[in-house]
């Protein structure tokens, strides 16, 4: 089995913190395990990246800010309903938006 990585999707400050903490990885083909989503990032790109992270064999956990998860709520809920355990998807707060446990499938 390959080394497992943590992926991150979120705003610039959150993802920068994750990368500085050591989760950032770019392979030889330029494939990253993080996405910085800002106001110019299309919902489709966030959703495609989410699907990519949840289908990769080298990702064990996906940390996604709740704001980004809200943008692709259907995809996040569909993944949670699939019963897949690895990678685990965890919604985290960002500094722009307070955490709402009612939206998080893990807190239900």
């Amino acid at each position: 089995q390959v080394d497992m990585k943590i992926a991150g999707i979120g705003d610039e400050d959150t993802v920068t913190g994750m990368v500085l903490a050591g989760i950032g990885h770019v392979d030889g083909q330029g494939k990253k395990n993080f996405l910085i989503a800002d106001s110019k990032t299309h919902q489709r790109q966030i959703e495609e990246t989410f699907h990519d992270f949840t289908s990769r064999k080298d990702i064990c956990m996906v940390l996604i800010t709740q704001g980004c998860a809200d943008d692709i709520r259907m995809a996040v809920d569909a993944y949670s309903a699939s019963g897949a355990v690895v990678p685990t998807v965890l919604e985290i707060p960002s500094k722009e938006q307070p955490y709402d446990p009612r939206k998080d499938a893990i807190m239900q």
Side-chain angles (χ1 to χ4, degrees), residues 44-95:
R44 186 177 78 251
Q45 182 183 3
I46 298 171
E47 191 167 348
E48 287 172 358
T49 303
F50 177 78
H51 287 306
D52 177 49
F53 289 163
T54 55
S55 62
R56 283 174 51 178
K57 298 295 180 204
D58 64 333
I59 302 286
C60 66
M61 185 181 297
V62 177
L63 300 176
I64 183 169
T65 58
Q66 198 167 50
C68 288
D70 286 343
D71 291 342
I72 59 166
R73 179 60 57 197
M74 300 266 302
V76 173
D77 288 346
Y79 181 78
S80 297
S82 73
V85 178
V86 176
T88 301
V89 176
L90 296 176
E91 295 182 29
I92 59 174
S94 66
K95 72 179 196 178

Side-chain angles (χ1 to χ4, degrees), residues 5 25-33 56 58:
K5 297 170 186 63
H25 181 267
V26 180
D27 66 8
Q29 289 85 31
K31 195 173 193 180
K32 301 175 184 175
N33 67 330
R56 283 174 51 178
D58 64 333

